[in-house]
Amino acid sequence: MSEFFSMGGYGSYIWASYGIAAISLIVLLITTLRGLGQSRTELDQLETVLKSRRPRRVRPKDQTS
Amino acid sequence: MHRFAKPSVFLKLTGAMMPWMVTLTVILTVVGLYLALFASPVDYQQGSTVRIMYIHVPAAWMGLFCYIGMAACGAMSLIWKHPLADICARATAPIGATFTALTLISGSLWGEPMWGTWWVWDARLTSMLILLFLYLGYIALVNAFDDPERGSKAGSALALVGAINVPIVKFSVDWWNTLHQPASVARMDGPSIDPSMLAPLLIMAFAFTGYYFIVLVLRVRLELNQRRIRALQLSGVFDDRAPTSGDDSNLAYDQGHNAGAGK
């Protein structure tokens, strides 16, 4: 088994390239998924606000903050 | 063609394809890694370091493939002004940049034991570095404008001009004397590489391609959501608090403008 990991003495180079590839591809995927989740939440919030506001637009003077 | 390029159709189609794409990509990755790390032979000259090839070469192909896709989308965005083309180009850029960076890093890790150096300024390596800078330049440029349309015009122009670098990368090993080995798969007289090494190489390449399409679809959705958010915020629907006249209008504008910033 340790023979497999040492890869004929080049283990560090080989595992480093596979490891860096795996990490960067996974990080890109996760940041994309998180961004997508955040954008969905934000969009949902905006759309709920939009829905709740629509009837009030008839009397905009009522809405002073 | 335009009928399929509608965002709603795109979302529907890709939504149905997504589970299949993920399954296929996972299978390809597992099989590819098994072949690359266990079942493929060591090289008679390079020993085990040849296993770096199964990351390095597919990543390099993807770097070029993504760039061609990005430039083609850029062209479509300039010619037909179709928003989905621009969105695809924007979504491709970070994926292509990642693959290009991986090519350079894995190449360094391969060069150090085999060539005795992490880096040489030869044609193949330098043109690949330029490819990475083109990606980074594109990403910086499209995000540098407040108006996405202007950003996309500038970015598409950069992507198209930079496309000249793609054949330079491909043929750099033939045109110049270089430390990098010449092509052994995409050759006029067929691959010169043994099938036992070609198989993991191609399977890893397909796995990377699957990954690209999955992340592309996700990033296109992200970009569509962001555009919708922007459109809603700019539409003025949220400004109905604003008085119709008077000095308070600036205050109301600020409130409306910053409404989404805190989230």
Side-chain angles (χ1 to χ4, degrees):
Chain A
M1 199 63 190
S2 69
E3 201 180 310
F4 169 70
F5 282 109
S6 79
M7 289 267 173
Y10 296 120
S12 50
Y13 297 108
I14 295 165
W15 293 117
S17 49
Y18 277 80
I20 291 167
I23 290 168
S24 32
L25 292 179
I26 289 168
V27 164
L28 179 64
L29 180 66
I30 289 174
T31 45
T32 303
L33 284 171
R34 284 178 71 180
L36 193 59
Q38 275 169 5
S39 73
R40 255 180 211 151
T41 325
E42 200 175 332
L43 197 56
D44 283 347
Q45 279 169 350
L46 283 177
E47 272 168 355
T48 354
V49 173
L50 198 65
K51 265 179 203 155
S52 67
R53 260 202 204 160
R54 243 175 210 153
R56 292 191 206 173
R57 290 191 78 203
V58 188
R59 293 179 298 155
K61 291 280 171 192
D62 288 0
Q63 257 214 321
T64 42
S65 51
Chain B
M1 192 62 197
H2 281 291
R3 202 149 45 91
F4 292 104
K6 247 170 50 186
S8 58
V9 178
F10 176 90
L11 289 177
K12 221 175 174 181
L13 266 176
T14 52
M17 277 160 61
M18 203 55 160
W20 300 99
M21 286 300 290
V22 173
T23 316
L24 190 64
T25 305
V26 169
I27 292 171
L28 283 170
T29 309
V30 171
V31 175
L33 283 178
Y34 171 75
L35 289 178
L37 288 169
F38 296 89
S40 65
V42 295
D43 188 73
Y44 80 104
Q45 277 182 325
Q46 309 201 14
S48 282
T49 56
V50 74
R51 299 196 194 285
I52 296 174
M53 176 176 73
Y54 306 123
I55 296 289
H56 178 74
V57 174
W61 285 342
M62 290 313 295
L64 291 173
F65 175 76
C66 291
Y67 197 90
I68 294 168
M70 193 176 90
C73 286
M76 286 192 265
S77 147
L78 281 180
I79 296 166
W80 291 304
K81 308 236 171 357
H82 199 287
L84 203 57
D86 175 45
I87 289 173
C88 280
R90 282 170 191 245
T92 297
I95 316 172
T98 306
F99 279 123
T100 308
L102 280 180
T103 309
L104 293 169
I105 293 168
S106 62
S108 270
L109 286 163
W110 198 359
E112 167 39 43
M114 287 299 109
W115 297 345
T117 177
W118 298 100
W119 184 262
V120 281
W121 289 103
D122 88 349
R124 176 53 78 78
L125 282 71
T126 309
S127 56
M128 210 60 197
L129 186 66
I130 290 172
L131 187 71
L132 178 64
F133 289 155
L134 282 170
Y135 276 122
L136 298 180
Y138 175 88
I139 295 169
L141 193 57
V142 290
N143 291 318
F145 294 88
D146 284 335
D147 176 12
E149 202 152 309
R150 287 180 65 201
S152 90
K153 265 186 193 160
S156 301
L158 173 71
L160 279 175
V161 172
I164 189 68
N165 189 44
V166 172
I168 294 179
V169 171
K170 166 73 184 126
F171 296 110
S172 55
V173 283
D174 304 325
W175 291 344
W176 290 283
N177 260 327
T178 167
L179 209 51
H180 195 284
Q181 65 174 8
S184 51
V185 179
R187 290 161 57 99
M188 296 300 280
D189 50 354
S192 63
I193 182 174
D194 190 78
S196 62
M197 288 180 176
L198 186 60
L201 193 59
L202 291 181
I203 292 173
M204 286 305 285
F206 285 128
F208 279 6
T209 313
Y211 173 90
Y212 163 67
F213 279 112
I214 291 168
V215 179
L216 175 73
V217 167
L218 295 173
R219 293 197 76 89
V220 167
R221 286 185 192 171
L222 169 62
E223 189 80 25
L224 284 171
N225 280 356
Q226 281 171 343
R227 290 201 179 192
R228 173 112 178 96
I229 291 168
R230 195 184 142 79
L232 282 177
Q233 281 171 343
L234 293 179
S235 64
V237 190
F238 297 96
D239 295 345
D240 59 5
R241 285 173 292 181
T244 43
S245 63
D247 291 326
D248 289 352
S249 58
N250 281 332
L251 179 71
Y253 169 76
D254 283 342
Q255 285 169 345
H257 190 65
N258 292 325
K263 285 166 201 152

